[in-house]
Structure formats: structure tokens, C-alpha cells
Amino acid sequence: MAGNTAQDDADVVGMWVTADGHIRQELRADGRYDEARGDRRGAYTGRYTVTGRHIDYVDDSGFTATGDIRDGVLYHEHLVLYREDKQA
């Protein structure tokens, strides 16, 4: 579960991408994520939970990472990702 049941939790579901488009991180509504790097889809996959504006990641390989949403930007470890505009 994505963990965003409380009203204070950020809505993070969707595609997040670095400014250069090299890294694309899809945060799915089922609490799973899929991160692509360049042409390598599924470079990292796992689960995430949201507490307020903080995200905790647990990769399928076992490592963990964190992120925070500030002013609509996702700061994920050393990465800066922006929400990709949804097409109508």
C-alpha cells in the first residue's frame, strides 16, 4: 500500500523525471515503483510508503532509500525529479 491514507500525505502517484529525462521514476497507486535509467527499463523496482511529504523506498534487491517532496519537486537521495505533466 502506498501509505497515503492520511490527508496530510503527499499525492506522489505518477511519473517523475529528472530535468534531462535520463531517469524516470513511476510511483504507482499500488505502492510499487519502477525506475528507468536511460533505455534500461526496470533498472530499480520495489515498494514505497509515504508519510507526510517523506517517501521511504525498499528496493526488491533489499536496499533502502528516501525522498522528500518540497514545492512540488521530489528530492530522492542525490536526484531531483519533477512530476511529468499528464496528457489529457
Side-chain angles (χ1 to χ4, degrees):
M1 178 164 9
N4 29 340
T5 56
Q7 289 181 342
D8 294 336
D9 289 348
D11 175 17
V12 300
V13 173
M15 186 65 73
W16 296 82
V17 62
T18 55
D20 64 4
H22 181 73
I23 298 174
R24 300 172 58 80
Q25 187 178 91
E26 179 186 13
L27 299 178
R28 300 185 342 209
D30 65 357
R32 300 275 308 162
Y33 71 88
D34 186 309
E35 186 174 301
R37 297 204 170 213
D39 293 332
R40 186 175 164 213
R41 297 189 67 193
Y44 297 100
T45 59
R47 297 175 297 122
Y48 73 93
T49 56
V50 178
T51 306
R53 302 209 172 276
H54 180 80
I55 304 173
D56 288 298
Y57 298 85
V58 178
D59 189 82
D60 290 338
S61 69
F63 74 83
T64 60
T66 63
D68 290 288
I69 304 285
R70 293 192 305 270
D71 298 324
V73 177
L74 171 55
Y75 296 89
H76 171 61
E77 299 295 334
H78 65 283
L79 301 174
V80 178
L81 299 114
Y82 303 91
R83 189 183 294 269
E84 186 174 74
D85 291 335
K86 295 181 180 176
Q87 299 295 322

